[in-house]
Amino acid sequence: MKRVVSVSLGSSRRDHQVLVELLGEQFEISRLGMDGDFDRALAKLQQLDGQVDAIGLGGIDVYVYAGNKRYAFKDGLRLMEAVKTTPVVDGSGLKNTLERETVTYLLQNTDYIKKGTRVLMVSAVDRFGMAEAFATAQCDITYGDLIFAAGIPYPIKTLQELEEIAARLLPEMTKLPFHMLYPTGKQQETRDEEKTQKFAQYYQDAEVIAGDFHFIKRYLPDKLNGQMIITNTTTAADLELLSQCGAGRLVTTTPVFEGRSFGTNVIEGALVALLGKPWENINPVDYLGIIKQLDFKPRIIEMVN
Amino acid sequence: MATHEEIAASLQAFCEGYQNNQKLKLMNRDWNRIIVIKANDIDSQHTLTLHNGELSLTQGTPGQTADLVVTSDSETLADMFYGDITPTEPYMNGTLVIQGTEDDIVRLDFISLMIWGE
């Protein structure tokens, strides 16, 4: 039995544990929320180091991307560096492969995405693979990085502008405490009412809303009009919430185990354990190969409103 | 230690950097704020006022309550508003103290980086 544990800065209310079989191997996959307590997360990571087969870091990004540049969050690196023996991943490797493939899959197998489809990516630098895939598909994309992370009502419309702004901001902003830019702990359980009201139009104008579910949920307006949501880490309660708000369809990029779509960090941890290679030697081709072997496909759920 | 005049000149450079950046003005049309800049080692106070995307600078404190109060030593303030250092490091090590909401602090950091960033 292989053990993969996700240590998340998010709420412990979303904790869960499942047993799954992947390519004939038994896995125990669990998620432990640290309720935004950074020191507790550090201690838990040190405790798990050497005791499990892989660790995922949840509720925090270590690496984000814009174009060919990679930026590392100081807080994320501190967590990652606390683990000395066990492979530790933040999901960014899988975001660059599996999530890119999700868009390709929808393009090839459905009519949900086409040239000109209005897409709101609530944040693109943490899902640059998906952002590039939408751009390749010639969708009409709004990158909401400034809107939702910094509260600035400026929709970024091209990858080039996203890369330019990222190059100015991210070398410094990644040094700020992560909670200043991303909802952690209890913030994940509440809606930011002021910004939700201020930025509702971006949700309502889109046909597709994609990206990190905590961002999507924190600024989710009361009323949608049939939008497709592309995300992961959703629970049964989240599905209910999206349905009540009027979302038309939910597409999850990661596989669903026991009703729960796991974060990319957890799934990447499982894949690293399966590949049995040092994480630094694993490349996108390795991930794509094993994703194909596992026959991972996006899960599409039609909403009943 | 920087002088009051040097801080004033750095703030003037900051304002000019802002005024020359049309995109930044557009981005801040919704952010009307009064920001007080105070040195803690010399007698020097300035007020930056953002209104409808336009930024103006006056000497002294405003007649109304400030939304943000930025306090540091004179050298750090001058270096920061000239763009010789970014606000992140002095903010993280406590040399620079900003009183205001976290959202406003992120926004001020954003403006500074858009003017002086890489």
Side-chain angles (χ1 to χ4, degrees):
Chain A
M1 168 92 69
K2 289 193 184 295
R3 283 184 68 204
V4 177
V5 179
S6 170
V7 175
S8 172
L9 279 184
S11 166
S12 56
R13 285 178 62 177
R14 295 168 76 91
D15 283 357
H16 53 278
Q17 182 176 319
V18 297
L19 296 175
V20 290
E21 187 182 310
L22 299 171
L23 299 179
E25 191 91 52
Q26 295 296 319
F27 277 80
E28 180 195 277
I29 298 176
S30 52
R31 184 259 190 205
L32 301 171
M34 298 290 121
D35 296 314
D37 187 334
F38 193 88
D39 292 333
R40 208 173 124 215
L42 268 179
K44 179 56 74 179
L45 288 166
Q46 285 161 347
Q47 183 197 333
L48 289 168
D49 191 15
Q51 306 299 313
V52 296
D53 294 281
I55 296 172
L57 291 179
I60 186 164
D61 290 311
V62 181
Y63 299 111
V64 290
Y65 297 82
N68 296 323
K69 289 195 179 156
R70 183 174 82 164
Y71 305 91
F73 278 95
K74 199 173 174 184
D75 277 354
L77 282 179
R78 270 184 68 203
L79 291 176
M80 196 171 247
E81 286 163 1
V83 182
K84 307 292 182 199
T85 310
T86 302
V88 55
V89 295
D90 72 333
S92 57
L94 210 56
K95 284 176 184 168
N96 192 33
T97 47
L98 183 66
E99 296 200 336
R100 194 185 289 270
E101 289 298 298
T102 298
V103 177
T104 306
Y105 177 89
L106 293 172
L107 271 168
Q108 291 173 350
N109 297 282
T110 72
D111 62 354
Y112 303 154
I113 296 174
K114 45 192 164 296
K115 184 180 174 181
T117 297
R118 295 186 307 280
V119 177
L120 169 66
M121 282 204 73
V122 285
S123 170
V125 293
D126 66 333
R127 278 174 159 77
F128 197 71
M130 190 185 274
E132 280 191 325
F134 279 126
T136 304
Q138 296 182 280
C139 293
D140 174 2
I141 315 161
T142 295
Y143 302 110
D145 297 64
L146 288 181
I147 300 168
F148 300 107
I152 298 161
Y154 183 83
I156 300 170
K157 294 299 290 182
T158 66
L159 281 179
Q160 189 192 346
E161 189 176 22
L162 179 72
E163 288 169 33
E164 284 168 9
I165 291 175
R168 276 186 173 268
L169 302 182
L170 287 179
E172 287 299 315
M173 284 207 156
T174 47
K175 295 176 188 166
L176 289 173
F178 193 68
H179 69 82
M180 289 179 80
L181 301 168
Y182 181 85
T184 59
K186 289 212 183 309
Q187 285 180 318
Q188 293 183 353
E189 292 165 24
T190 56
R191 190 164 73 164
D192 184 327
E193 297 296 338
E194 190 190 335
K195 283 188 194 162
T196 298
Q197 205 169 0
K198 192 171 170 186
F199 301 136
Q201 202 60 45
Y202 293 109
Y203 276 67
Q204 282 151 358
D205 286 347
E207 296 166 271
V208 174
I209 299 162
D212 182 277
F213 189 66
H214 291 302
F215 265 133
I216 292 176
K217 193 175 163 184
R218 189 152 167 80
Y219 308 108
L220 185 69
D222 290 334
K223 292 266 176 234
L224 292 176
N225 37 40
Q227 281 84 348
M228 177 165 74
I229 313 292
I230 306 178
T231 188
N232 59 27
T233 68
T234 48
T235 63
D238 296 328
L239 238 115
E240 179 67 27
L241 172 73
L242 288 170
S243 177
Q244 280 173 4
C245 289
R249 184 177 294 121
L250 171 68
V251 177
T252 54
T253 60
T254 49
V256 174
F257 302 130
E258 296 181 10
R260 176 73 189 264
S261 149
F262 280 73
T264 48
N265 72 90
V266 189
I267 304 300
E268 188 174 341
L271 300 193
V272 168
L274 269 177
L275 284 163
K277 285 170 75 173
W279 178 72
E280 57 274 17
N281 295 343
I282 298 174
N283 58 42
V285 176
D286 293 323
Y287 283 128
L288 285 170
I290 201 156
I291 287 166
K292 198 172 173 188
Q293 278 187 63
L294 286 159
D295 199 27
F296 279 172
K297 286 191 176 67
R299 186 177 188 223
I300 302 171
I301 302 165
E302 300 295 334
M303 299 284 182
V304 182
N305 301 128
Chain B
M1 190 183 290
T3 63
H4 172 75
E5 288 69 28
E6 284 171 311
I7 296 174
S10 73
L11 284 164
Q12 194 57 48
F14 182 82
C15 285
E16 282 166 17
Y18 181 93
Q19 300 298 354
N20 292 335
N21 191 328
Q22 294 306 315
K23 192 182 280 185
L24 199 46
K25 287 186 187 179
L26 185 70
M27 288 172 173
N28 286 300
R29 276 187 310 186
D30 70 316
W31 201 59
N32 296 332
R33 293 290 186 277
I34 294 170
I35 305 161
V36 168
I37 318 294
K38 286 165 70 172
N40 56 18
D41 56 346
I42 61 167
D43 183 19
S44 176
Q45 298 193 354
H46 292 85
T47 301
L48 289 169
T49 305
L50 253 162
H51 189 72
N52 292 337
E54 297 296 328
L55 183 66
S56 59
L57 171 68
T58 50
Q59 299 222 6
T61 49
Q64 49 193 307
T65 310
D67 299 293
L68 280 157
V69 180
V70 179
T71 309
S72 191
D73 59 85
S74 55
E75 194 71 35
T76 299
L77 289 176
D79 283 350
M80 192 173 77
F81 287 105
Y82 268 132
D84 292 338
I85 59 170
T86 65
T88 319
E89 198 177 325
Y91 174 69
M92 292 304 291
N93 70 23
T95 311
L96 173 71
V97 177
I98 309 177
Q99 290 165 272
T101 67
E102 271 197 358
D103 280 357
D104 281 352
I105 293 170
V106 170
R107 190 74 168 252
L108 188 59
D109 196 22
F110 162 81
I111 292 173
S112 173
L113 292 170
M114 286 296 286
I115 295 171
W116 304 122
E118 293 293 311

